[in-house]
Amino acid sequence: MKKWMCVAIATLCATAATAEERHFVCVSDRDGSEVRLNRAPEGDKGNIETANVSGDAMVFKGVGNMTFVHIEGEDVMTFVVHYDDMSFDLSVKGPHAGTDHGTCTETDA
C-alpha cells in the first residue's frame, strides 16, 4: 500500500513539474467574436477573457482536449478546446445560457 501511495505522489509531482503555460486565441464561427484563454503553469488554473467576461477559470486536461470552466454569478461557462482540429465548443448554463463553436490557434502569449 505504501508503495502505491509513493508512486501516486511521485506521479502527481512529476505531472505538476511538467505543466506548462498555454495560450489560445479562439474565434467564433457564429459572430467572429474573440476569446482568449490562458492555462497557468500550475496546470489547473487559468483565465478566460471575452468582450463581456473576464476572470479566473479552472482548467481540466482531458484526452485530446482542454476544458476551461468559469463561474460568474449564476452562470457556468464551459469552454472545450479540441487538439485534433483546434476547434472549440462553448456552453453557458444559467440565466445567460447559450452555445457557440469555432476555431482556436495556440499563441506564445
Side-chain angles (χ1 to χ4, degrees):
M1 174 94 157
K2 286 183 182 181
K3 176 182 174 184
W4 292 113
M5 293 286 283
C6 290
V7 169
I9 291 170
T11 302
L12 180 62
C13 291
T15 302
T18 60
E20 62 190 52
E21 189 168 8
R22 295 185 75 175
H23 302 270
F24 300 94
V25 176
C26 303
V27 178
S28 168
D29 286 346
R30 186 188 60 191
D31 63 7
S33 62
E34 187 175 277
V35 177
R36 293 185 175 271
L37 303 166
N38 172 44
R39 183 184 81 174
E42 292 84 23
D44 63 346
K45 295 180 174 101
N47 190 300
I48 186 165
E49 189 173 322
T50 72
N52 302 320
V53 175
S54 180
D56 295 332
M58 296 173 285
V59 181
F60 304 96
K61 188 173 180 196
V63 177
N65 64 48
M66 187 177 298
T67 302
F68 293 77
V69 178
H70 173 74
I71 301 171
E72 187 170 307
E74 296 179 26
D75 289 321
V76 178
M77 179 184 291
T78 305
F79 200 103
V80 182
V81 178
H82 304 279
Y83 298 138
D84 59 347
D85 60 358
M86 291 304 288
S87 66
F88 77 82
D89 294 303
L90 169 65
S91 173
V92 179
K93 304 290 186 200
H96 301 99
T99 60
D100 198 2
H101 60 280
T103 57
C104 298
T105 55
E106 191 162 5
T107 64
D108 292 334

